[in-house]
Amino acid sequence: MQHAQAGARRNTAHARRPLRGSRFRLGRADMRGYRAVKYVLFLFCYVFWVLSAILIAVGIYAKVAKEKDVVDTLALDPALLFMAIGSLTFVITFLGCFGALRNATCPLKMFASIVAVLLLLQLTAAIAGYLFSDVVIERTERLMMKSVVRYREDRDLDNAIDFVQKKFQCCGVDSYKDWSGNVYFECSDSNPSSEACGVPFSCCVAPGNRTVPNTMCGFGTRRASRDIFLAGCLDKIVRWLDRNIRTVAGLAGGLLLLETCVMSLALAQACWINKVRRRAAALASRRPSHKKDHLWFPAFAHFDDQRDDIATENPFPWSVQERLREVHPGSRRLGGRLGHVEEMNPNEKLSLSAKASPWTLDPEPATPCPC
């Protein structure tokens, strides 16, 4: 009975630890493939997890360093945008890292599901942007006009607008006249600002030999329209996208391909883990039960000398062995194995078969051995 309880405990332990039990290990080739999938997924998730943490830190630093009266709109505040994107990426990649490293199917499935949803959203946005390009341009124009109106209210927003105007050599959204919508650059007699009827310094045409920018070059330039860029930034950005459509499409396709590969690795590892667990459960269900006297065996069967291990395919279960030990408690030949039954004399064998098998009829008296 103690041996049967010990076998049951080993059975339960193997079922709980399917990837570590010696009876349920994968083959060497399968294990190498599994480890490759596991650690490649962990490496990808870890890299993006670190990058998202850096993005959150940059956003928090930019938000703390600002003044209190700043713009708190997600679409117009780069700091809040960095924090939002970084936080979302941090949570998603943490699920991937934890699931891959701990062989946990639930985080892996959650990670794959979230990545699949994001992939579908990106594909939907790309298709909708291509089909409804006029609507996208109109919404972008409105957003840029709001940014122009709130210039000088947020340092990060100011830096972003100045970078775009310097990069594309433009001024305003449609033209330099759009800066009339800003209270600091409004061209009216009642405007006390020193920048009235002017534009930001990023609209100025900088001389080639000047290394230090002149931040006052835009004062009063709209009255004479001199030394500034006249074209708007929206038209310049659309033309740049048309010229570099292959590069933009390649970057977008690479991002989608990376997301698809990571999602496939997560699903492959989860399927591998479930496969090993099903194999462990199947092997556990095929093991013999531990009830006594539920099987009959021939009286003079040949017993192989093998270990009494519950995971070994033993044709004579524990119940038979316990029965033999009960009917012959003092026999040393049946101490721990059944391989020495043949050493008994014929009378003992007949007695053993009559006592051990509940289905055997009363045997006739054995003939004494002539020897």
Side-chain angles (χ1 to χ4, degrees):
M1 184 62 68
Q2 295 180 356
H3 293 286
Q5 293 177 355
R9 287 195 296 268
R10 286 197 299 271
N11 182 13
T12 306
H14 282 303
R16 290 179 180 175
R17 298 178 297 170
L19 294 180
R20 298 181 182 179
S22 60
R23 298 291 176 184
F24 307 116
R25 287 179 181 172
L26 296 171
R28 292 185 178 180
D30 294 340
M31 183 56 68
R32 282 196 294 267
Y34 174 78
R35 288 177 178 174
V37 170
K38 172 180 178 178
Y39 290 111
V40 168
L41 175 62
F42 174 76
L43 181 62
F44 273 116
C45 293
Y46 181 76
V47 170
F48 283 97
W49 185 63
V50 173
L51 293 178
S52 62
I54 295 175
L55 197 63
I56 294 174
V58 172
I60 293 175
Y61 174 77
K63 190 66 178 177
V64 172
K66 291 179 182 179
E67 299 177 358
K68 294 183 179 180
D69 51 345
V70 296
V71 183
D72 288 332
T73 306
L74 181 61
L76 300 178
D77 193 349
L80 289 178
L81 192 62
F82 285 175
M83 292 170 62
I85 296 176
S87 300
L88 180 62
T89 309
F90 186 87
V91 174
I92 296 174
T93 52
F94 175 78
L95 290 175
C97 289
F98 180 79
L101 195 62
R102 300 297 299 174
N103 299 321
T105 57
C106 184
L108 287 174
K109 291 179 181 179
M110 291 179 61
F111 171 77
S113 302
I114 295 175
V115 173
V117 171
L118 292 177
L119 185 63
L120 292 176
L121 289 177
Q122 291 171 4
L123 289 174
T124 305
I127 295 173
Y130 179 77
L131 296 178
F132 305 99
S133 57
D134 296 337
V135 178
V136 174
I137 293 176
E138 182 181 356
R139 296 292 179 87
T140 305
E141 183 179 2
R142 292 180 184 177
L143 183 63
M144 294 178 67
M145 285 301 300
K146 290 181 180 180
S147 302
V148 168
V149 171
R150 296 185 178 182
Y151 189 80
R152 299 295 191 201
E153 295 181 4
D154 189 351
R155 293 181 182 179
D156 296 331
L157 184 61
D158 297 351
N159 294 332
I161 294 175
D162 292 335
F163 173 79
V164 171
Q165 293 189 147
K166 288 180 181 179
K167 177 67 177 177
F168 294 98
Q169 296 181 355
C170 56
C171 187
V173 180
D174 296 322
S175 67
Y176 69 96
K177 297 180 180 180
D178 294 331
W179 287 102
S180 298
N182 188 283
V183 294
Y184 297 96
F185 302 102
E186 183 182 2
C187 191
S188 63
D189 297 334
S190 60
N191 188 5
S193 174
S194 59
E195 296 178 313
C197 291
V199 292
F201 74 97
S202 56
C203 291
C204 298
V205 179
N209 57 355
R210 179 176 295 177
T211 57
V212 179
N214 182 13
T215 57
M216 301 177 65
C217 64
F219 286 14
T221 52
R222 278 192 307 166
R223 292 189 177 97
S225 301
R226 54 182 175 82
D227 298 333
I228 60 174
F229 301 114
L230 303 179
C233 293
L234 181 60
D235 186 58
K236 289 288 188 73
I237 292 174
V238 172
R239 290 181 182 179
W240 182 87
L241 290 175
D242 291 337
R243 290 194 306 267
N244 301 274
I245 187 64
R246 294 184 178 180
T247 304
V248 175
L251 293 175
L255 179 61
L256 296 179
L257 181 61
L258 179 62
E259 292 178 355
T260 305
C261 292
V262 172
M263 180 182 63
S264 302
L265 290 174
L267 292 177
Q269 185 178 0
C271 292
W272 226 316
I273 295 173
N274 290 332
K275 177 181 178 181
V276 176
R277 288 180 177 175
R278 287 194 299 267
R279 185 184 302 177
L283 289 177
S285 63
R286 288 200 299 267
R287 285 171 178 167
S289 61
H290 307 293
K291 296 182 180 180
K292 291 185 178 182
D293 300 335
H294 72 294
L295 288 177
W296 174 84
F297 61 93
F300 302 106
H302 178 71
F303 296 89
D304 294 329
D305 188 8
Q306 52 186 330
R307 296 175 55 189
D308 295 334
D309 192 353
I310 191 63
T312 307
E313 295 182 359
N314 193 341
F316 302 100
W318 279 100
S319 59
V320 175
Q321 299 177 27
E322 294 292 335
R323 179 63 176 169
L324 292 176
R325 292 190 181 94
E326 287 180 2
V327 298
H328 274 271
S331 177
R332 296 183 179 179
R333 301 189 187 96
L334 302 175
R337 303 183 180 182
L338 299 178
H340 305 286
V341 177
E342 293 182 351
E343 297 180 4
M344 303 168 64
N345 56 47
N347 294 328
E348 289 179 333
K349 289 182 179 179
L350 289 175
S351 177
L352 173 62
S353 62
K355 293 180 179 180
S357 176
W359 290 276
T360 306
L361 299 176
D362 294 334
E364 297 180 358
T367 305
C369 182
C371 57

